Amino acid sequence: MNFIRTIRKIFTLVTARERRRILALFVCILLTAFIEMVGVASIMPFMAVVANPGLIQKTSLLLDFGNFLGIADRRAYVISLGVIALCFLVAGNIFAAITSAFVIRTGARLNQSLSHRLLAAYLHRPYEQFLRENSARLNRNILHEVYTVVFQVINPALNVTARVVSACSLIMLMVLIKPVLAIFIVLILGGFYTLAYIMVRKILKWNGERYHKFNRELAGIVADIFGGIKEIKLFGREAEYLARFKGPSCHVIKGQTVSGVVPQMPRYLMEVISFGGVILLVIYYLASGKEIATVLPLITLYAVAGYRLMPSLQQTFSGITQIRFNYPALKLLCHDLGDTPLEFFVDRDNSRVEPLHFDKEIRLEQVAYRYYGASTKALDVISLSIPANSVVAFVGASGSGKSTLIDLMLGLLTMQEGAMFVDGILIKAENMSSWQRNIGYVPQSIFLSDDTITRNIAFGVPADLIDHVAVQKAAQMANLHGFIETELPAGYDTVIGERGVRLSGGQRQRIGIARALYHDPKILILDEATSALDVISENAVLEAINTLAHKKTIIIVAHRFSTIRNSDLIYLLDNGRIVDRGTYEELMETCPRFLTMSGSQGE
Ligand SMILES: Nc1ncnc2c1ncn2[C@@H]1O[C@H](COP(=O)(O)OP(=O)(O)OP(=O)(O)O)[C@@H](O)[C@H]1O
């Protein structure tokens, strides 16, 4: 880690406005350090003249200052010195309090802005990238790593810079007063801290990387535990998961210990060396009968260095070690945010895009897709046509590629070969959102948020813009209205619990269907949407879907043949290829594989 490179990295993360705020904050920190220094320093002459008023006449600086103030009376002069020291002290502390509030506020704002940017960057990533990522880690990055970067990298970086500047001014002052001794002390103190840093640098880097790695692992384990709580309780796996948590958490504790202890160590050693040195020097001079007054200047400078320079060096050292320990978080943030400006994300509101015109045909030509890291293609040379307002079904064994094909048509996956045309228009990145506005999609497992039925049906629509008539209409079509009105305590305002835990599988599925119908889409895609329903509920939903037949384009993926019997066209998939097509009756007559599949379901 190079400190200048860290500062550069920080500046690439923040906007121009935030950069200006950080610089203003830096100036405030610097001024606070300066005023505090002057405040404390001004007490010394005051105390000195209180103890020995004769000093005023002996010290030319005090005499000149008295003349400058125009105070001849000794008593009045001492009181004035006290008032000046008091003013500096009060001003210094007021300034320090304001700066500390400014530091906290700027940190909190930066934290909010960076988490928002990171969330925006994640939200705008292609869907495919989410298939490779662990969502618990993304969670952690937004909620934890951003905080680490702001409060454990950016803030220490500001402090370190301010400390370095104030230490440099102090060194210059010392050099002006006693050049040789000052350089000697600076070399000893500076050399010691530099040596200490060189010694612990590698340990800190290693420790920081390990700490952040194990912390991310912990986030994954916790997400697994609460995601699979039902199975964990049923199979009595609590102890196993607690043990899984314990391993990485022990490494995290070690990491925290090292990062807490290392920055403090030089301080203790340095205090022994500096103050012990003074004591030893005095003892030596006393024991050898030499004149103690000859070494007093050295002891004074030692004291100045001890009280002023050492804390600055110590804070610089601990700040740099803290930054080094948390550097992996900064690296991660820079990587995940990339160099895309925030405005790019904020301005892209896909929900306002107009739907693409569609009233003829969806056509796929020679489409192929291979998942990242997979050895074979999930889909290959897929060519098909779906006429507008028809009911088209995809059937095939598990793993034959049906969901992959749907995800390609939805634009969630990007075709690696071939293309899709809608009414002859090629679908590409530029018109993808417009194409997607036509689609109502019901996946195999419905995501439900811990919110009301209404907000779950009108998914993502702001509360004040929800069309309640459309919500009820969609619920009626999904055969859900009766249940909501008669069985739920607060009807459409009933909160359904995290992931819909207070609903049955079939009810969750029907909320998904209602959600897909809420926007009255031209195309309805159902990917195993009715497979979780009992036969009576499925028939009711199919009836609802049948009433939409030939008014909308309906694309169905189903295992149950009862679901697809009335389709206008059925595509049979096997091993990522379309092996047959036709109506239910045609396939039953001409396709032995189809016949076998239907036979196995007792059709
Ligand atoms: N994220 C993924 N990464 C790698 N391979 C995947 C991924 N998702 C699916 N596959 C593979 O792609 C192939 C097609 O999967 P797909 O889910 O499309 O089949 P399916 O016909 O919908 O199956 P099912 O009826 O069981 O849902 C399978 O061999 C599967 O293992």
Side-chain angles (χ1 to χ4, degrees):
M1 185 200 73
N2 172 316
F3 189 70
I4 305 292
R5 210 176 64 212
T6 307
I7 301 284
R8 275 213 207 109
K9 255 188 187 319
I10 291 171
F11 277 0
T12 60
L13 278 182
V14 297
T15 60
R17 203 161 158 223
E18 287 163 346
R19 216 169 295 158
R20 281 197 297 274
R21 251 189 115 77
I22 290 176
L23 286 176
L25 189 60
F26 172 67
V27 172
C28 284
I29 292 175
L30 211 58
L31 278 176
T32 308
F34 178 73
I35 298 178
E36 274 180 337
M37 198 169 86
V38 175
V40 177
S42 65
I43 298 174
M44 287 181 195
F46 170 65
M47 296 309 278
V49 292
V50 168
N52 179 10
L55 267 181
I56 299 175
Q57 300 305 325
K58 287 185 204 152
T59 318
S60 61
L61 199 67
L62 284 171
L63 261 179
D64 290 348
F65 191 60
N67 292 337
F68 171 74
L69 293 178
I71 305 171
D73 179 42
R74 188 185 278 186
R75 197 180 163 82
Y77 183 44
V78 175
I79 291 172
S80 305
L81 281 181
V83 171
I84 290 170
L86 195 68
C87 288
F88 267 115
L89 210 66
V90 171
N93 279 289
I94 290 176
F95 207 77
I98 295 171
T99 305
S100 125
F102 190 25
V103 167
I104 293 167
R105 190 168 157 68
T106 306
R109 274 185 168 197
L110 211 53
N111 193 28
Q112 187 274 340
S113 140
L114 282 172
S115 335
H116 183 253
R117 279 181 67 190
L118 192 62
L119 178 62
Y122 287 155
L123 270 176
H124 285 89
R125 273 183 176 180
Y127 171 74
E128 276 149 320
Q129 238 169 305
F130 289 95
L131 298 177
R132 292 176 236 154
E133 287 275 10
N134 181 322
S135 63
R137 292 200 185 140
L138 301 184
N139 235 337
R140 196 188 140 74
N141 293 349
I142 294 168
L143 300 177
H144 185 90
E145 302 294 18
V146 170
Y147 184 90
T148 305
V149 167
V150 172
F151 292 101
Q152 284 163 30
V153 176
I154 298 181
N155 272 3
L158 281 175
N159 273 325
V160 164
T161 321
R163 291 288 155 198
V164 168
V165 175
S166 72
C168 285
S169 36
L170 193 69
I171 290 168
M172 271 157 56
L173 200 73
M174 285 164 69
V175 169
L176 282 178
I177 300 168
K178 281 247 184 273
V180 181
L181 274 178
I183 290 168
F184 171 72
I185 287 171
V186 166
L187 281 181
I188 295 224
L189 288 182
F192 173 78
Y193 275 105
T194 311
L195 195 70
Y197 181 67
I198 291 171
M199 276 163 64
V200 296
R201 200 169 49 148
K202 289 222 166 73
I203 299 173
L204 284 170
K205 181 171 184 264
W206 172 81
N207 186 49
E209 278 164 6
R210 258 168 71 90
Y211 169 81
H212 286 274
K213 173 180 159 289
F214 285 116
N215 237 331
R216 278 197 287 276
E217 213 169 281
L218 280 185
I221 294 170
V222 173
D224 278 356
I225 290 174
F226 293 117
I229 190 70
K230 208 169 180 180
E231 286 86 343
I232 289 174
K233 294 208 79 62
L234 183 66
F235 298 129
R237 295 274 186 262
E238 289 93 339
E240 152 69 16
Y241 274 91
L242 278 173
R244 264 193 220 185
F245 184 84
K246 203 168 177 185
S249 72
C250 285
H251 290 294
V252 166
I253 292 168
K254 277 184 206 154
Q256 275 168 337
T257 312
V258 172
S259 81
V261 168
V262 166
Q264 300 307 323
M265 283 303 115
R267 190 182 122 204
Y268 298 115
L269 195 61
M270 208 58 220
E271 276 179 12
V272 169
I273 293 176
S274 52
F275 296 112
V278 174
I279 296 168
L280 285 178
L281 206 67
V282 174
I283 291 174
Y284 168 75
Y285 270 76
L286 286 176
S288 57
K290 287 184 181 167
E291 187 55 54
I292 192 86
T294 54
V295 285
L296 267 180
L298 177 65
I299 293 171
T300 315
L301 210 61
Y302 241 59
V304 172
Y307 281 109
R308 292 276 145 262
L309 195 57
M310 248 174 55
S312 280
L313 290 177
Q314 173 58 37
Q315 283 182 25
T316 305
F317 178 80
S318 67
I320 287 182
T321 52
Q322 197 180 5
I323 295 169
R324 186 158 186 97
F325 177 65
N326 292 299
Y327 195 65
L330 178 66
K331 246 167 72 180
L332 182 140
L333 208 62
C334 287
H335 174 267
D336 282 13
L337 274 176
D339 45 18
T340 323
L342 175 62
E343 302 73 42
F344 170 81
F345 299 128
V346 175
D347 290 347
R348 281 176 60 193
D349 182 359
N350 289 342
S351 63
R352 298 216 181 104
V353 176
E354 281 300 307
L356 189 77
H357 186 264
F358 167 59
D359 63 8
K360 291 190 185 71
E361 175 203 41
I362 302 165
R363 192 158 43 84
L364 265 66
E365 281 182 12
Q366 304 286 321
V367 169
Y369 188 81
R370 185 205 304 265
Y371 282 100
Y372 175 81
S375 55
T376 54
K377 287 179 182 173
L379 285 178
D380 204 4
V381 285
I382 299 282
S383 294
L384 58 86
S385 161
I386 299 172
N389 297 331
S390 63
V391 180
V392 173
F394 293 98
V395 290
S398 183
S400 56
K402 304 180 294 293
S403 295
T404 308
L405 181 58
I406 296 294
D407 286 350
L408 283 167
M409 285 201 268
L410 290 171
L412 294 177
L413 302 178
T414 311
M415 292 168 193
Q416 290 149 354
E417 289 170 39
M420 177 166 74
F421 299 88
V422 173
D423 285 4
I425 306 273
L426 173 69
I427 301 300
K428 44 192 178 183
E430 292 77 44
N431 58 5
M432 184 58 78
S433 301
S434 177
W435 154 241
Q436 286 167 335
R437 292 289 76 75
N438 284 305
I439 305 171
Y441 168 61
V442 191
Q444 281 175 348
S445 75
I446 309 289
F447 166 76
L448 294 177
S449 55
D450 190 5
D451 210 333
T452 62
I453 295 269
T454 299
R455 294 200 69 167
N456 267 290
I457 292 178
F459 187 67
V461 177
D464 52 332
L465 296 181
I466 292 177
D467 178 348
H468 293 270
V469 176
V471 167
Q472 294 206 8
K473 200 171 149 204
Q476 268 158 357
M477 279 158 64
N479 197 22
L480 199 64
H481 181 70
F483 161 75
I484 296 170
E485 291 281 79
T486 55
E487 290 185 40
L488 294 182
Y492 280 88
D493 293 328
T494 309
V495 175
I496 56 174
E498 193 184 350
R499 283 173 280 121
V501 283
R502 281 173 223 136
L503 298 175
S504 75
Q507 287 156 353
R508 285 201 283 264
Q509 208 68 18
R510 277 182 281 165
I511 289 197
I513 295 171
R515 179 186 292 167
L517 292 170
Y518 171 75
H519 291 286
D520 192 22
K522 283 187 191 161
I523 305 161
L524 188 60
I525 300 184
L526 302 117
D527 187 353
E528 298 285 0
T530 57
S531 53
L533 303 185
D534 58 84
V535 177
I536 296 172
S537 302
E538 185 185 29
N539 285 343
V541 173
L542 288 178
E543 222 171 86
I545 291 169
N546 282 337
T547 61
L548 299 172
H550 309 299
K551 292 187 194 114
K552 292 183 186 298
T553 307
I554 299 175
I555 300 170
I556 305 175
V557 169
H559 275 120
R560 281 196 210 153
F561 275 43
S562 53
T563 320
I564 56 157
R565 193 186 278 271
N566 295 326
S567 306
D568 299 315
L569 181 61
I570 298 170
Y571 287 101
L572 178 61
L573 274 99
D574 186 40
N575 251 330
R577 287 171 182 257
I578 292 176
V579 290
D580 218 333
R581 66 192 73 194
T583 61
Y584 183 79
E585 287 73 23
E586 283 167 0
L587 288 172
M588 285 294 268
E589 263 179 40
T590 58
C591 179
R593 197 194 302 240
F594 192 77
L595 195 63
T596 316
M597 283 168 75
S598 76
S600 68
Q601 291 187 17
E603 291 285 315

